[in-house]
Every structure is written in structure tokens, then in C-alpha cells.
PDB file of all heavy atoms in Angstrom:
ATOM      1  N   GLY A   1       0.639  13.864 -53.156  1.00 94.00           N
ATOM      2  CA  GLY A   1       1.364  13.572 -54.418  1.00 94.00           C
ATOM      3  C   GLY A   1       2.013  12.239 -54.303  1.00 94.00           C
ATOM      4  O   GLY A   1       3.088  12.002 -54.887  1.00 94.00           O
ATOM      5  N   ALA A   2       1.283  11.276 -53.718  1.00 95.00           N
ATOM      6  CA  ALA A   2       1.888   9.959 -53.343  1.00 95.00           C
ATOM      7  C   ALA A   2       2.175   9.166 -54.617  1.00 95.00           C
ATOM      8  O   ALA A   2       2.880   8.136 -54.571  1.00 95.00           O
ATOM      9  CB  ALA A   2       0.972   9.200 -52.380  1.00 95.00           C
ATOM     10  N   THR A   3       1.538   9.445 -55.809  1.00 94.00           N
ATOM     11  CA  THR A   3       1.725   8.677 -56.962  1.00 94.00           C
ATOM     12  C   THR A   3       2.598   9.379 -57.965  1.00 94.00           C
ATOM     13  O   THR A   3       2.860   8.877 -59.048  1.00 94.00           O
ATOM     14  CB  THR A   3       0.359   8.339 -57.670  1.00 94.00           C
ATOM     15  OG1 THR A   3      -0.199   9.615 -57.967  1.00 94.00           O
ATOM     16  CG2 THR A   3      -0.579   7.513 -56.802  1.00 94.00           C
ATOM     17  N   GLY A   4       3.211  10.479 -57.534  1.00 91.00           N
ATOM     18  CA  GLY A   4       4.023  11.241 -58.424  1.00 91.00           C
ATOM     19  C   GLY A   4       5.476  10.782 -58.515  1.00 91.00           C
ATOM     20  O   GLY A   4       5.943   9.794 -57.862  1.00 91.00           O
ATOM     21  N   ASP A   5       6.306  11.433 -59.389  1.00 91.00           N
ATOM     22  CA  ASP A   5       7.618  11.009 -59.674  1.00 91.00           C
ATOM     23  C   ASP A   5       8.538  11.096 -58.399  1.00 91.00           C
ATOM     24  O   ASP A   5       9.349  10.128 -58.173  1.00 91.00           O
ATOM     25  CB  ASP A   5       8.153  11.826 -60.820  1.00 91.00           C
ATOM     26  CG  ASP A   5       9.570  11.384 -61.357  1.00 91.00           C
ATOM     27  OD1 ASP A   5       9.562  10.234 -61.860  1.00 91.00           O
ATOM     28  OD2 ASP A   5      10.574  12.042 -61.051  1.00 91.00           O
ATOM     29  N   LEU A   6       8.451  12.198 -57.714  1.00 92.00           N
ATOM     30  CA  LEU A   6       9.328  12.236 -56.511  1.00 92.00           C
ATOM     31  C   LEU A   6       9.017  11.220 -55.541  1.00 92.00           C
ATOM     32  O   LEU A   6       9.869  10.588 -54.923  1.00 92.00           O
ATOM     33  CB  LEU A   6       9.234  13.715 -55.882  1.00 92.00           C
ATOM     34  CG  LEU A   6       9.974  13.905 -54.560  1.00 92.00           C
ATOM     35  CD1 LEU A   6      11.458  13.781 -54.847  1.00 92.00           C
ATOM     36  CD2 LEU A   6       9.627  15.284 -53.988  1.00 92.00           C
ATOM     37  N   ALA A   7       7.703  10.982 -55.268  1.00 94.00           N
ATOM     38  CA  ALA A   7       7.279  10.001 -54.365  1.00 94.00           C
ATOM     39  C   ALA A   7       7.891   8.578 -54.736  1.00 94.00           C
ATOM     40  O   ALA A   7       8.388   7.770 -53.905  1.00 94.00           O
ATOM     41  CB  ALA A   7       5.856   9.938 -54.197  1.00 94.00           C
ATOM     42  N   ARG A   8       7.664   8.247 -56.047  1.00 94.00           N
ATOM     43  CA  ARG A   8       8.156   6.864 -56.533  1.00 94.00           C
ATOM     44  C   ARG A   8       9.662   6.743 -56.419  1.00 94.00           C
ATOM     45  O   ARG A   8      10.173   5.748 -56.105  1.00 94.00           O
ATOM     46  CB  ARG A   8       7.607   6.674 -57.890  1.00 94.00           C
ATOM     47  CG  ARG A   8       6.082   6.458 -57.936  1.00 94.00           C
ATOM     48  CD  ARG A   8       5.622   6.100 -59.314  1.00 94.00           C
ATOM     49  NE  ARG A   8       6.012   7.063 -60.366  1.00 94.00           N
ATOM     50  CZ  ARG A   8       6.985   6.855 -61.285  1.00 94.00           C
ATOM     51  NH1 ARG A   8       7.691   5.634 -61.236  1.00 94.00           N
ATOM     52  NH2 ARG A   8       7.248   7.762 -62.203  1.00 94.00           N
ATOM     53  N   ARG A   9      10.294   7.828 -56.857  1.00 92.00           N
ATOM     54  CA  ARG A   9      11.836   7.626 -56.906  1.00 92.00           C
ATOM     55  C   ARG A   9      12.601   7.889 -55.618  1.00 92.00           C
ATOM     56  O   ARG A   9      13.622   7.200 -55.391  1.00 92.00           O
ATOM     57  CB  ARG A   9      12.361   8.722 -57.931  1.00 92.00           C
ATOM     58  CG  ARG A   9      11.950   8.448 -59.301  1.00 92.00           C
ATOM     59  CD  ARG A   9      12.665   9.601 -60.279  1.00 92.00           C
ATOM     60  NE  ARG A   9      12.323   9.258 -61.682  1.00 92.00           N
ATOM     61  CZ  ARG A   9      13.080   8.508 -62.422  1.00 92.00           C
ATOM     62  NH1 ARG A   9      14.284   8.085 -61.948  1.00 92.00           N
ATOM     63  NH2 ARG A   9      12.893   8.298 -63.721  1.00 92.00           N
ATOM     64  N   LYS A  10      12.012   8.650 -54.729  1.00 93.00           N
ATOM     65  CA  LYS A  10      12.780   9.032 -53.524  1.00 93.00           C
ATOM     66  C   LYS A  10      12.021   8.734 -52.155  1.00 93.00           C
ATOM     67  O   LYS A  10      12.577   8.117 -51.272  1.00 93.00           O
ATOM     68  CB  LYS A  10      13.198  10.562 -53.502  1.00 93.00           C
ATOM     69  CG  LYS A  10      14.108  10.877 -54.692  1.00 93.00           C
ATOM     70  CD  LYS A  10      15.426  10.256 -54.580  1.00 93.00           C
ATOM     71  CE  LYS A  10      16.381  10.779 -55.632  1.00 93.00           C
ATOM     72  NZ  LYS A  10      17.784  10.184 -55.518  1.00 93.00           N
ATOM     73  N   LEU A  11      10.782   9.179 -52.136  1.00 95.00           N
ATOM     74  CA  LEU A  11      10.104   9.216 -50.868  1.00 95.00           C
ATOM     75  C   LEU A  11       9.682   7.861 -50.415  1.00 95.00           C
ATOM     76  O   LEU A  11       9.951   7.455 -49.245  1.00 95.00           O
ATOM     77  CB  LEU A  11       8.906  10.171 -50.906  1.00 95.00           C
ATOM     78  CG  LEU A  11       9.250  11.605 -51.341  1.00 95.00           C
ATOM     79  CD1 LEU A  11       7.983  12.436 -51.300  1.00 95.00           C
ATOM     80  CD2 LEU A  11      10.250  12.207 -50.437  1.00 95.00           C
ATOM     81  N   LEU A  12       9.004   7.082 -51.240  1.00 96.00           N
ATOM     82  CA  LEU A  12       8.603   5.778 -50.912  1.00 96.00           C
ATOM     83  C   LEU A  12       9.680   4.854 -50.615  1.00 96.00           C
ATOM     84  O   LEU A  12       9.722   4.106 -49.577  1.00 96.00           O
ATOM     85  CB  LEU A  12       7.555   5.177 -51.896  1.00 96.00           C
ATOM     86  CG  LEU A  12       6.259   5.945 -52.049  1.00 96.00           C
ATOM     87  CD1 LEU A  12       5.439   5.526 -53.225  1.00 96.00           C
ATOM     88  CD2 LEU A  12       5.443   5.810 -50.747  1.00 96.00           C
ATOM     89  N   PRO A  13      10.737   4.720 -51.496  1.00 94.00           N
ATOM     90  CA  PRO A  13      11.877   3.942 -51.166  1.00 94.00           C
ATOM     91  C   PRO A  13      12.637   4.366 -49.897  1.00 94.00           C
ATOM     92  O   PRO A  13      13.152   3.603 -49.184  1.00 94.00           O
ATOM     93  CB  PRO A  13      12.776   4.094 -52.448  1.00 94.00           C
ATOM     94  CG  PRO A  13      11.858   4.466 -53.547  1.00 94.00           C
ATOM     95  CD  PRO A  13      10.785   5.290 -52.931  1.00 94.00           C
ATOM     96  N   GLY A  14      12.643   5.711 -49.760  1.00 93.00           N
ATOM     97  CA  GLY A  14      13.209   6.262 -48.549  1.00 93.00           C
ATOM     98  C   GLY A  14      12.520   5.902 -47.246  1.00 93.00           C
ATOM     99  O   GLY A  14      13.128   5.449 -46.208  1.00 93.00           O
ATOM    100  N   LEU A  15      11.227   5.907 -47.314  1.00 95.00           N
ATOM    101  CA  LEU A  15      10.396   5.405 -46.117  1.00 95.00           C
ATOM    102  C   LEU A  15      10.652   3.903 -45.908  1.00 95.00           C
ATOM    103  O   LEU A  15      10.651   3.484 -44.760  1.00 95.00           O
ATOM    104  CB  LEU A  15       8.988   5.697 -46.417  1.00 95.00           C
ATOM    105  CG  LEU A  15       8.557   7.221 -46.275  1.00 95.00           C
ATOM    106  CD1 LEU A  15       7.183   7.438 -46.845  1.00 95.00           C
ATOM    107  CD2 LEU A  15       8.604   7.691 -44.881  1.00 95.00           C
ATOM    108  N   LEU A  16      10.724   3.162 -46.930  1.00 93.00           N
ATOM    109  CA  LEU A  16      11.114   1.717 -46.779  1.00 93.00           C
ATOM    110  C   LEU A  16      12.445   1.517 -46.062  1.00 93.00           C
ATOM    111  O   LEU A  16      12.550   0.702 -45.205  1.00 93.00           O
ATOM    112  CB  LEU A  16      11.084   1.012 -48.120  1.00 93.00           C
ATOM    113  CG  LEU A  16      11.286  -0.516 -48.081  1.00 93.00           C
ATOM    114  CD1 LEU A  16      10.332  -1.219 -47.191  1.00 93.00           C
ATOM    115  CD2 LEU A  16      11.273  -1.051 -49.518  1.00 93.00           C
ATOM    116  N   HIS A  17      13.352   2.334 -46.464  1.00 91.00           N
ATOM    117  CA  HIS A  17      14.693   2.249 -45.787  1.00 91.00           C
ATOM    118  C   HIS A  17      14.554   2.612 -44.378  1.00 91.00           C
ATOM    119  O   HIS A  17      15.253   2.045 -43.516  1.00 91.00           O
ATOM    120  CB  HIS A  17      15.656   3.105 -46.514  1.00 91.00           C
ATOM    121  CG  HIS A  17      17.070   2.999 -45.937  1.00 91.00           C
ATOM    122  ND1 HIS A  17      17.906   1.901 -46.302  1.00 91.00           N
ATOM    123  CD2 HIS A  17      17.845   3.717 -45.086  1.00 91.00           C
ATOM    124  CE1 HIS A  17      19.084   2.013 -45.740  1.00 91.00           C
ATOM    125  NE2 HIS A  17      19.008   3.129 -44.923  1.00 91.00           N
ATOM    126  N   LEU A  18      13.761   3.629 -44.018  1.00 92.00           N
ATOM    127  CA  LEU A  18      13.578   4.035 -42.612  1.00 92.00           C
ATOM    128  C   LEU A  18      12.913   2.846 -41.838  1.00 92.00           C
ATOM    129  O   LEU A  18      13.246   2.641 -40.680  1.00 92.00           O
ATOM    130  CB  LEU A  18      12.752   5.241 -42.536  1.00 92.00           C
ATOM    131  CG  LEU A  18      13.363   6.592 -42.896  1.00 92.00           C
ATOM    132  CD1 LEU A  18      12.406   7.751 -42.915  1.00 92.00           C
ATOM    133  CD2 LEU A  18      14.597   6.858 -41.983  1.00 92.00           C
ATOM    134  N   GLU A  19      12.068   2.097 -42.524  1.00 91.00           N
ATOM    135  CA  GLU A  19      11.471   0.942 -41.852  1.00 91.00           C
ATOM    136  C   GLU A  19      12.491  -0.068 -41.523  1.00 91.00           C
ATOM    137  O   GLU A  19      12.624  -0.621 -40.398  1.00 91.00           O
ATOM    138  CB  GLU A  19      10.434   0.356 -42.823  1.00 91.00           C
ATOM    139  CG  GLU A  19       9.884  -1.008 -42.366  1.00 91.00           C
ATOM    140  CD  GLU A  19       9.107  -0.904 -41.102  1.00 91.00           C
ATOM    141  OE1 GLU A  19       8.330   0.027 -40.923  1.00 91.00           O
ATOM    142  OE2 GLU A  19       9.176  -1.813 -40.199  1.00 91.00           O
ATOM    143  N   ARG A  20      13.445  -0.273 -42.484  1.00 88.00           N
ATOM    144  CA  ARG A  20      14.482  -1.257 -42.292  1.00 88.00           C
ATOM    145  C   ARG A  20      15.430  -0.797 -41.169  1.00 88.00           C
ATOM    146  O   ARG A  20      16.039  -1.599 -40.479  1.00 88.00           O
ATOM    147  CB  ARG A  20      15.309  -1.386 -43.649  1.00 88.00           C
ATOM    148  CG  ARG A  20      16.468  -2.273 -43.597  1.00 88.00           C
ATOM    149  CD  ARG A  20      16.082  -3.761 -43.478  1.00 88.00           C
ATOM    150  NE  ARG A  20      17.217  -4.620 -43.620  1.00 88.00           N
ATOM    151  CZ  ARG A  20      17.178  -5.950 -43.475  1.00 88.00           C
ATOM    152  NH1 ARG A  20      15.995  -6.530 -43.216  1.00 88.00           N
ATOM    153  NH2 ARG A  20      18.214  -6.716 -43.505  1.00 88.00           N
ATOM    154  N   ALA A  21      15.676   0.486 -41.090  1.00 87.00           N
ATOM    155  CA  ALA A  21      16.487   1.037 -40.084  1.00 87.00           C
ATOM    156  C   ALA A  21      15.818   1.164 -38.714  1.00 87.00           C
ATOM    157  O   ALA A  21      16.478   1.707 -37.743  1.00 87.00           O
ATOM    158  CB  ALA A  21      16.955   2.459 -40.510  1.00 87.00           C
ATOM    159  N   GLY A  22      14.643   0.704 -38.561  1.00 87.00           N
ATOM    160  CA  GLY A  22      13.959   0.721 -37.335  1.00 87.00           C
ATOM    161  C   GLY A  22      13.372   2.104 -36.912  1.00 87.00           C
ATOM    162  O   GLY A  22      13.158   2.352 -35.725  1.00 87.00           O
ATOM    163  N   GLN A  23      13.115   2.951 -37.945  1.00 89.00           N
ATOM    164  CA  GLN A  23      12.725   4.271 -37.713  1.00 89.00           C
ATOM    165  C   GLN A  23      11.198   4.585 -37.853  1.00 89.00           C
ATOM    166  O   GLN A  23      10.779   5.672 -37.732  1.00 89.00           O
ATOM    167  CB  GLN A  23      13.511   5.307 -38.512  1.00 89.00           C
ATOM    168  CG  GLN A  23      14.973   5.250 -38.270  1.00 89.00           C
ATOM    169  CD  GLN A  23      15.321   5.724 -36.800  1.00 89.00           C
ATOM    170  OE1 GLN A  23      14.873   6.808 -36.401  1.00 89.00           O
ATOM    171  NE2 GLN A  23      15.923   4.868 -36.009  1.00 89.00           N
ATOM    172  N   LEU A  24      10.423   3.556 -38.199  1.00 88.00           N
ATOM    173  CA  LEU A  24       8.978   3.777 -38.473  1.00 88.00           C
ATOM    174  C   LEU A  24       8.116   2.911 -37.502  1.00 88.00           C
ATOM    175  O   LEU A  24       7.060   2.574 -37.807  1.00 88.00           O
ATOM    176  CB  LEU A  24       8.688   3.471 -39.908  1.00 88.00           C
ATOM    177  CG  LEU A  24       9.176   4.387 -41.041  1.00 88.00           C
ATOM    178  CD1 LEU A  24       8.684   3.970 -42.328  1.00 88.00           C
ATOM    179  CD2 LEU A  24       8.909   5.814 -40.652  1.00 88.00           C
ATOM    180  N   ALA A  25       8.711   2.621 -36.373  1.00 82.00           N
ATOM    181  CA  ALA A  25       7.890   1.857 -35.368  1.00 82.00           C
ATOM    182  C   ALA A  25       6.652   2.683 -34.956  1.00 82.00           C
ATOM    183  O   ALA A  25       6.827   3.944 -34.760  1.00 82.00           O
ATOM    184  CB  ALA A  25       8.687   1.489 -34.192  1.00 82.00           C
ATOM    185  N   ASP A  26       5.493   2.164 -34.853  1.00 88.00           N
ATOM    186  CA  ASP A  26       4.260   2.838 -34.498  1.00 88.00           C
ATOM    187  C   ASP A  26       3.997   3.971 -35.454  1.00 88.00           C
ATOM    188  O   ASP A  26       3.575   5.066 -35.014  1.00 88.00           O
ATOM    189  CB  ASP A  26       4.398   3.325 -33.036  1.00 88.00           C
ATOM    190  CG  ASP A  26       4.394   2.246 -32.055  1.00 88.00           C
ATOM    191  OD1 ASP A  26       3.786   1.144 -32.267  1.00 88.00           O
ATOM    192  OD2 ASP A  26       5.164   2.349 -31.115  1.00 88.00           O
ATOM    193  N   CYS A  27       4.248   3.826 -36.758  1.00 94.00           N
ATOM    194  CA  CYS A  27       3.924   4.806 -37.716  1.00 94.00           C
ATOM    195  C   CYS A  27       2.996   4.236 -38.757  1.00 94.00           C
ATOM    196  O   CYS A  27       2.966   3.002 -39.004  1.00 94.00           O
ATOM    197  CB  CYS A  27       5.227   5.275 -38.475  1.00 94.00           C
ATOM    198  SG  CYS A  27       6.339   6.231 -37.442  1.00 94.00           S
ATOM    199  N   ARG A  28       2.230   5.146 -39.397  1.00 96.00           N
ATOM    200  CA  ARG A  28       1.321   4.734 -40.506  1.00 96.00           C
ATOM    201  C   ARG A  28       1.499   5.806 -41.640  1.00 96.00           C
ATOM    202  O   ARG A  28       1.922   6.969 -41.405  1.00 96.00           O
ATOM    203  CB  ARG A  28      -0.136   4.768 -40.125  1.00 96.00           C
ATOM    204  CG  ARG A  28      -0.498   3.820 -39.031  1.00 96.00           C
ATOM    205  CD  ARG A  28      -0.236   2.325 -39.462  1.00 96.00           C
ATOM    206  NE  ARG A  28      -0.725   1.388 -38.399  1.00 96.00           N
ATOM    207  CZ  ARG A  28       0.077   0.896 -37.443  1.00 96.00           C
ATOM    208  NH1 ARG A  28       1.366   1.375 -37.458  1.00 96.00           N
ATOM    209  NH2 ARG A  28      -0.336   0.086 -36.542  1.00 96.00           N
ATOM    210  N   ILE A  29       1.372   5.366 -42.854  1.00 96.00           N
ATOM    211  CA  ILE A  29       1.593   6.276 -44.037  1.00 96.00           C
ATOM    212  C   ILE A  29       0.354   6.253 -44.849  1.00 96.00           C
ATOM    213  O   ILE A  29      -0.171   5.236 -45.326  1.00 96.00           O
ATOM    214  CB  ILE A  29       2.821   5.717 -44.878  1.00 96.00           C
ATOM    215  CG1 ILE A  29       4.088   5.673 -44.109  1.00 96.00           C
ATOM    216  CG2 ILE A  29       2.999   6.617 -46.136  1.00 96.00           C
ATOM    217  CD1 ILE A  29       5.173   4.816 -44.678  1.00 96.00           C
ATOM    218  N   VAL A  30      -0.275   7.474 -44.957  1.00 96.00           N
ATOM    219  CA  VAL A  30      -1.444   7.641 -45.774  1.00 96.00           C
ATOM    220  C   VAL A  30      -1.071   8.378 -47.082  1.00 96.00           C
ATOM    221  O   VAL A  30      -0.671   9.514 -46.987  1.00 96.00           O
ATOM    222  CB  VAL A  30      -2.483   8.466 -44.969  1.00 96.00           C
ATOM    223  CG1 VAL A  30      -3.736   8.769 -45.863  1.00 96.00           C
ATOM    224  CG2 VAL A  30      -2.878   7.788 -43.679  1.00 96.00           C
ATOM    225  N   GLY A  31      -1.182   7.688 -48.208  1.00 96.00           N
ATOM    226  CA  GLY A  31      -0.873   8.232 -49.446  1.00 96.00           C
ATOM    227  C   GLY A  31      -2.112   8.952 -50.016  1.00 96.00           C
ATOM    228  O   GLY A  31      -3.237   8.461 -49.832  1.00 96.00           O
ATOM    229  N   THR A  32      -1.939  10.088 -50.642  1.00 94.00           N
ATOM    230  CA  THR A  32      -3.050  10.734 -51.263  1.00 94.00           C
ATOM    231  C   THR A  32      -2.658  11.548 -52.489  1.00 94.00           C
ATOM    232  O   THR A  32      -1.527  12.027 -52.544  1.00 94.00           O
ATOM    233  CB  THR A  32      -3.841  11.701 -50.257  1.00 94.00           C
ATOM    234  OG1 THR A  32      -4.994  12.288 -50.878  1.00 94.00           O
ATOM    235  CG2 THR A  32      -2.843  12.793 -49.805  1.00 94.00           C
ATOM    236  N   SER A  33      -3.567  11.595 -53.445  1.00 91.00           N
ATOM    237  CA  SER A  33      -3.286  12.292 -54.681  1.00 91.00           C
ATOM    238  C   SER A  33      -4.710  12.518 -55.421  1.00 91.00           C
ATOM    239  O   SER A  33      -5.633  12.053 -54.886  1.00 91.00           O
ATOM    240  CB  SER A  33      -2.267  11.617 -55.575  1.00 91.00           C
ATOM    241  OG  SER A  33      -2.877  10.565 -56.234  1.00 91.00           O
ATOM    242  N   LEU A  34      -4.607  13.126 -56.604  1.00 89.00           N
ATOM    243  CA  LEU A  34      -5.790  13.266 -57.340  1.00 89.00           C
ATOM    244  C   LEU A  34      -6.236  12.018 -58.110  1.00 89.00           C
ATOM    245  O   LEU A  34      -7.271  11.952 -58.704  1.00 89.00           O
ATOM    246  CB  LEU A  34      -5.634  14.480 -58.339  1.00 89.00           C
ATOM    247  CG  LEU A  34      -5.407  15.806 -57.706  1.00 89.00           C
ATOM    248  CD1 LEU A  34      -5.201  16.873 -58.799  1.00 89.00           C
ATOM    249  CD2 LEU A  34      -6.641  16.178 -56.796  1.00 89.00           C
ATOM    250  N   GLU A  35      -5.351  11.022 -58.219  1.00 89.00           N
ATOM    251  CA  GLU A  35      -5.603   9.778 -58.943  1.00 89.00           C
ATOM    252  C   GLU A  35      -6.555   8.910 -58.088  1.00 89.00           C
ATOM    253  O   GLU A  35      -6.479   8.808 -56.875  1.00 89.00           O
ATOM    254  CB  GLU A  35      -4.285   9.071 -59.155  1.00 89.00           C
ATOM    255  CG  GLU A  35      -3.393   9.802 -60.173  1.00 89.00           C
ATOM    256  CD  GLU A  35      -2.211   8.861 -60.577  1.00 89.00           C
ATOM    257  OE1 GLU A  35      -2.285   7.654 -60.310  1.00 89.00           O
ATOM    258  OE2 GLU A  35      -1.235   9.361 -61.119  1.00 89.00           O
ATOM    259  N   GLU A  36      -7.417   8.166 -58.815  1.00 89.00           N
ATOM    260  CA  GLU A  36      -8.259   7.181 -58.206  1.00 89.00           C
ATOM    261  C   GLU A  36      -7.515   5.848 -58.059  1.00 89.00           C
ATOM    262  O   GLU A  36      -7.066   5.270 -59.028  1.00 89.00           O
ATOM    263  CB  GLU A  36      -9.445   6.981 -59.107  1.00 89.00           C
ATOM    264  CG  GLU A  36     -10.552   8.048 -58.981  1.00 89.00           C
ATOM    265  CD  GLU A  36     -11.378   7.892 -57.714  1.00 89.00           C
ATOM    266  OE1 GLU A  36     -11.167   6.946 -56.973  1.00 89.00           O
ATOM    267  OE2 GLU A  36     -12.195   8.854 -57.486  1.00 89.00           O
ATOM    268  N   ARG A  37      -7.243   5.456 -56.875  1.00 91.00           N
ATOM    269  CA  ARG A  37      -6.592   4.191 -56.546  1.00 91.00           C
ATOM    270  C   ARG A  37      -7.125   3.623 -55.302  1.00 91.00           C
ATOM    271  O   ARG A  37      -7.606   4.356 -54.379  1.00 91.00           O
ATOM    272  CB  ARG A  37      -5.092   4.379 -56.368  1.00 91.00           C
ATOM    273  CG  ARG A  37      -4.360   4.711 -57.685  1.00 91.00           C
ATOM    274  CD  ARG A  37      -2.860   4.769 -57.454  1.00 91.00           C
ATOM    275  NE  ARG A  37      -2.164   5.180 -58.637  1.00 91.00           N
ATOM    276  CZ  ARG A  37      -1.613   4.334 -59.506  1.00 91.00           C
ATOM    277  NH1 ARG A  37      -1.694   3.030 -59.210  1.00 91.00           N
ATOM    278  NH2 ARG A  37      -0.927   4.710 -60.526  1.00 91.00           N
ATOM    279  N   SER A  38      -7.062   2.356 -55.192  1.00 93.00           N
ATOM    280  CA  SER A  38      -7.410   1.608 -53.923  1.00 93.00           C
ATOM    281  C   SER A  38      -6.134   1.477 -53.130  1.00 93.00           C
ATOM    282  O   SER A  38      -5.035   1.710 -53.586  1.00 93.00           O
ATOM    283  CB  SER A  38      -7.922   0.251 -54.182  1.00 93.00           C
ATOM    284  OG  SER A  38      -6.976  -0.493 -54.786  1.00 93.00           O
TER     285      SER A  38
END
């Protein structure tokens, strides 16, 4: 549900903050949903 409302409002900005806080070292994020996107 990576293109949905919760992801856009909370999850993706939250993950960016975790990056800023040094909590995503050696991590990758794979988004997936029913939408066609590159």
C-alpha cells in the first residue's frame, strides 16, 4: 500500500525521519501496491 494515504501522510515521512535519526543504516525500502509505477 505504498502509494496510499497512510503511507504518504505517515509512513514515508516517518521513514525519512528515521533516516535522519540514523536508524536506517543498511536498510532498503521496497514499495508495492496495485498501481503501475516505476
Side-chain angles (χ1 to χ4, degrees):
T3 60
D5 187 67
L6 177 62
R8 292 187 302 106
R9 289 179 176 271
K10 298 293 185 180
L11 304 182
L12 293 170
L15 287 166
L16 179 58
H17 185 79
L18 287 174
E19 171 68 37
R20 178 71 174 178
Q23 295 298 302
L24 291 186
D26 296 324
C27 290
R28 300 294 183 271
I29 301 164
V30 178
T32 183
S33 75
L34 296 177
E35 292 187 18
E36 283 284 352
R37 287 181 184 268
S38 66

